[in-house]
Amino acid sequence: MYSGKVKEFLKKRKVSEGDFVKFVLKGVKYCGILLPNEGTSSTDSLMIKQESGYNVGINYNDVECLTNAGKKATLGGVSKFKDLKFNKQMPNVSLVATGGTISSRVDYKTGGVYMLMEPNEILKTTPELVDIINLDAIESPFRIGSEDMSPDLWSLMADIIAKRFNKGDVGVIVTHGTDTLHYTSSALSFLLKDFQKPIALVGAQRSPDRGSFDGSMNLICAAQYVTSDIAETAIVMHGTMNDDFCFANRGTKVRKMHTSRRDAFRPINTLPLAKIWPDGKKEVLNQYRKRDDSVKAKVCGGFENKVAIISAYPGADPEIIDYYVDKGYKGIIISSTALGHVPGYTQKKKDSWLPVLKRAVDSGVFVGNASQTIYGRVHPHVYRQLIELEQMGIVFLEDLLVETAYVKLMWALSQTKDLKRVKEIMLTNYVGEFNQRIVPEAFLY
Ligand code: ASP
């Protein structure tokens, strides 16, 4: 809330919180949304959300020619559209809305974006959907940022998706925060491993109140994807920084590779499944599983929570491993350096991970090895230490992403306690999570 002189200043200019304003600062013209000053800045500051999405506090004395630009800040585009009218002749698709930036709006208290949007408002940002799908149902079991996601919610999503498919939907779109989107896409890939209809996970790097909102095109391309015959769980997001096309990337071989770029999701160790244009044009870039509408959706397995990712790095204390073993963890994924190394032949013997890893394996903890380099594969035979790790019983997980390995291990351990069987599950290629050969173009694609 503004008070005192600032309040007067705004009142004189007929400007209030939530208004789009134009003003001049040191000779340069600016515009943005006036946010409340909730004590995060000096009492003389006007809080402005700039077009770039970033908030600045500006002393009102420095601001010249402040005018109300005439419109109230609402969610980008939403106020323009009435409820969308879907055409029942179009393919039936459901939306599972879980939160994230794609369904957020500016919170005028803090000026930050907040997961507040009603699920049907998401659609109103993208009226083009009516020309592609008939929206059969919207399910919104929870609305959270993806950093707050948990394995029980992955299972809940899979149950809902299976239910929707068994009612006859041709595809399901999941809207979700981007930060942990690839964990969820891995989880859904494994839970619905035998299923043969498309599932698209979509998010946005910019919120709908911004001109650069990327969620609309992602949703349109997702709608094109789920009505195609590519029956895989995929993340469908911008392929470039422009609004030209999206990539559909296989759910177990994709990762957020940038904090904020609209094209942050890149395929890892493989090519995208397809390039998808908003007008429905598709270019298939990889082998894919084909749609088979006769297969019933069945959720397979769940998740054992006592699994951890532990990163190997210079100076990492081996007691970290002991901690997890003593806490009763059933599985560990070592995020190892490059080909599969951990601190082993250290200058000081006490710094070596080899004895604690041996203790972990001997105590019945499944230890898997995936590389922190992200690209490439771990290899148990190149160096002496790697041979020793393998002999100890540590399982080298080829070209699996660390995050995919973590989700897969939780899933495997939910199905059996028999570690031989867990190893078999971990090394079986269920949904394209392994590649025998990594094509050179896949690097930094
Ligand atoms: N932190 C947000 C989330 O993952 C970011 C986003 O949605 O893009 O939910």
Side-chain angles (χ1 to χ4, degrees), residues 99-104 115 144-148 176-181 203-206 237 256 259 265:
T101 300
I102 189 164
S103 52
S104 64
M115 287 59 182
I144 57 174
S146 74
E147 56 277 8
D148 297 331
H176 192 292
T178 58
D179 292 2
T180 68
L181 189 55
Q205 289 280 68
R206 308 275 187 284
M237 297 279 291
K256 184 169 177 174
T259 53
F265 281 85

Coordinates of all heavy atoms in Angstrom, one line a residue, residues 99-104 115 144-148 176-181 203-206 237 256 259 265, ligand 1:
G99 N -0.5 -26.7 -11.8 CA 0.1 -25.5 -11.3 C 1.3 -25.1 -12.1 O 1.4 -25.4 -13.3
G100 N 2.2 -24.3 -11.6 CA 3.4 -23.8 -12.3 C 3.1 -22.5 -13.0 O 2.0 -22.0 -12.9
T101 N 4.2 -21.9 -13.6 CA 4.1 -20.6 -14.2 C 3.1 -20.5 -15.3 O 2.4 -19.5 -15.5 CB 5.5 -20.3 -14.7 OG1 6.4 -20.3 -13.7 CG2 5.5 -18.9 -15.4
I102 N 2.8 -21.6 -16.0 CA 1.8 -21.6 -17.0 C 0.4 -21.2 -16.5 O -0.4 -20.8 -17.3 CB 1.8 -23.0 -17.8 CG1 0.9 -22.9 -19.1 CG2 1.3 -24.1 -16.9 CD1 1.2 -24.0 -20.1
S103 N 0.2 -21.5 -15.2 CA -1.1 -21.2 -14.7 C -1.0 -20.2 -13.5 O -1.6 -20.3 -12.5 CB -1.8 -22.4 -14.2 OG -1.0 -23.1 -13.4
S104 N -0.1 -19.2 -13.7 CA 0.1 -18.3 -12.6 C -0.3 -16.9 -13.0 O -0.5 -16.6 -14.2 CB 1.6 -18.3 -12.3 OG 2.3 -17.8 -13.4
M115 N 0.9 -19.3 -8.2 CA 0.1 -20.3 -8.9 C -1.4 -20.2 -8.5 O -1.9 -20.9 -7.7 CB 0.6 -21.7 -8.5 CG 1.9 -22.2 -9.1 SD 3.2 -21.1 -8.6 CE 4.6 -21.7 -9.3
I144 N 0.3 -26.5 -7.5 CA 1.5 -26.2 -6.8 C 2.6 -25.9 -7.8 O 2.5 -26.1 -9.0 CB 2.0 -27.4 -6.0 CG1 2.1 -28.7 -6.9 CG2 1.0 -27.7 -4.8 CD1 2.7 -29.9 -6.1
G145 N 3.7 -25.3 -7.3 CA 4.9 -25.1 -8.1 C 5.6 -26.5 -8.2 O 5.5 -27.3 -7.3
S146 N 6.3 -26.7 -9.3 CA 6.8 -28.1 -9.4 C 7.9 -28.4 -8.5 O 8.2 -29.6 -8.2 CB 7.2 -28.4 -10.9 OG 8.4 -27.7 -11.1
E147 N 8.5 -27.4 -7.8 CA 9.5 -27.7 -6.8 C 8.8 -28.4 -5.6 O 9.5 -29.0 -4.8 CB 10.2 -26.4 -6.4 CG 9.3 -25.2 -5.9 CD 8.7 -24.4 -7.0 OE1 8.8 -24.8 -8.2 OE2 8.1 -23.4 -6.7
D148 N 7.5 -28.3 -5.5 CA 6.8 -28.9 -4.4 C 6.2 -30.2 -4.7 O 5.4 -30.8 -4.0 CB 5.7 -27.9 -3.9 CG 6.3 -26.6 -3.3 OD1 7.4 -26.7 -2.8 OD2 5.6 -25.6 -3.4
H176 N 2.1 -28.0 -16.0 CA 2.9 -28.3 -14.8 C 4.1 -27.3 -14.8 O 4.4 -26.7 -15.8 CB 3.5 -29.7 -15.2 CG 4.3 -30.4 -14.1 ND1 5.5 -30.0 -13.6 CD2 4.0 -31.6 -13.5 CE1 5.9 -30.9 -12.7 NE2 5.0 -31.9 -12.6
G177 N 4.6 -27.0 -13.6 CA 5.8 -26.2 -13.5 C 6.9 -26.8 -14.2 O 7.0 -28.0 -14.4
T178 N 7.9 -25.9 -14.7 CA 8.9 -26.5 -15.5 C 10.1 -27.0 -14.7 O 10.8 -27.9 -15.2 CB 9.5 -25.4 -16.5 OG1 9.9 -24.3 -15.7 CG2 8.4 -24.9 -17.5
D179 N 10.3 -26.6 -13.5 CA 11.6 -26.9 -12.8 C 11.8 -28.4 -12.7 O 12.9 -28.9 -12.8 CB 11.6 -26.3 -11.4 CG 11.7 -24.8 -11.5 OD1 11.7 -24.2 -12.6 OD2 11.8 -24.1 -10.4
T180 N 10.7 -29.1 -12.3 CA 10.9 -30.6 -12.1 C 10.0 -31.4 -13.1 O 9.7 -32.5 -12.9 CB 10.5 -31.0 -10.7 OG1 9.1 -30.8 -10.5 CG2 11.3 -30.2 -9.7
L181 N 9.7 -30.7 -14.2 CA 8.9 -31.3 -15.2 C 9.4 -32.6 -15.7 O 8.7 -33.6 -16.0 CB 8.7 -30.3 -16.4 CG 7.7 -30.6 -17.5 CD1 6.3 -30.8 -17.0 CD2 7.7 -29.4 -18.5
G203 N 4.6 -26.6 -19.9 CA 4.8 -25.6 -18.9 C 5.0 -24.3 -19.6 O 4.8 -24.2 -20.8
A204 N 5.5 -23.3 -18.8 CA 5.8 -22.0 -19.4 C 7.0 -21.4 -18.6 O 7.1 -21.6 -17.4 CB 4.6 -21.1 -19.4
Q205 N 7.8 -20.8 -19.3 CA 9.0 -20.1 -18.7 C 8.6 -18.6 -18.3 O 9.2 -18.0 -17.6 CB 10.2 -20.1 -19.6 CG 10.9 -21.4 -19.7 CD 11.7 -21.8 -18.6 OE1 11.2 -22.0 -17.4 NE2 13.0 -21.8 -18.8
R206 N 7.5 -18.1 -19.0 CA 7.0 -16.8 -18.7 C 5.6 -16.9 -18.3 O 4.8 -17.6 -19.0 CB 7.1 -15.9 -20.0 CG 8.4 -15.8 -20.6 CD 9.4 -14.8 -20.0 NE 10.6 -14.7 -20.8 CZ 11.6 -15.6 -20.8 NH1 11.5 -16.7 -20.0 NH2 12.7 -15.4 -21.5
M237 N 7.6 -28.3 -25.5 CA 7.9 -27.0 -25.2 C 8.7 -26.3 -26.4 O 9.2 -27.0 -27.3 CB 8.9 -26.9 -24.0 CG 8.3 -27.5 -22.7 SD 7.2 -26.3 -21.8 CE 8.4 -25.1 -21.2
K256 N 15.5 -29.8 -18.3 CA 15.5 -28.3 -18.3 C 17.0 -27.9 -18.3 O 17.7 -28.1 -17.3 CB 14.7 -27.7 -17.1 CG 14.6 -26.2 -17.1 CD 13.6 -25.8 -16.0 CE 13.6 -24.3 -16.0 NZ 12.5 -23.7 -15.1
T259 N 17.8 -21.8 -16.9 CA 16.9 -21.3 -15.8 C 15.7 -20.6 -16.4 O 14.6 -20.7 -15.9 CB 17.6 -20.3 -14.9 OG1 18.2 -19.2 -15.7 CG2 18.6 -21.0 -14.0
F265 N 14.1 -26.7 -22.6 CA 14.0 -28.2 -22.6 C 14.7 -28.8 -23.8 O 14.3 -28.5 -24.9 CB 12.6 -28.6 -22.5 CG 12.1 -28.5 -21.1 CD1 11.6 -27.3 -20.6 CD2 12.2 -29.5 -20.2 CE1 11.2 -27.1 -19.3 CE2 11.8 -29.4 -18.8 CZ 11.3 -28.2 -18.4
Ligands
ASP1 N1 9.3 -22.7 -10.2 C1 8.2 -22.9 -11.2 C2 7.8 -24.3 -11.2 O1 8.5 -25.2 -11.5 C3 8.8 -22.5 -12.5 C4 7.8 -22.8 -13.7 O2 6.7 -23.1 -13.6 O3 8.3 -22.6 -14.8 O4 6.6 -24.6 -10.9

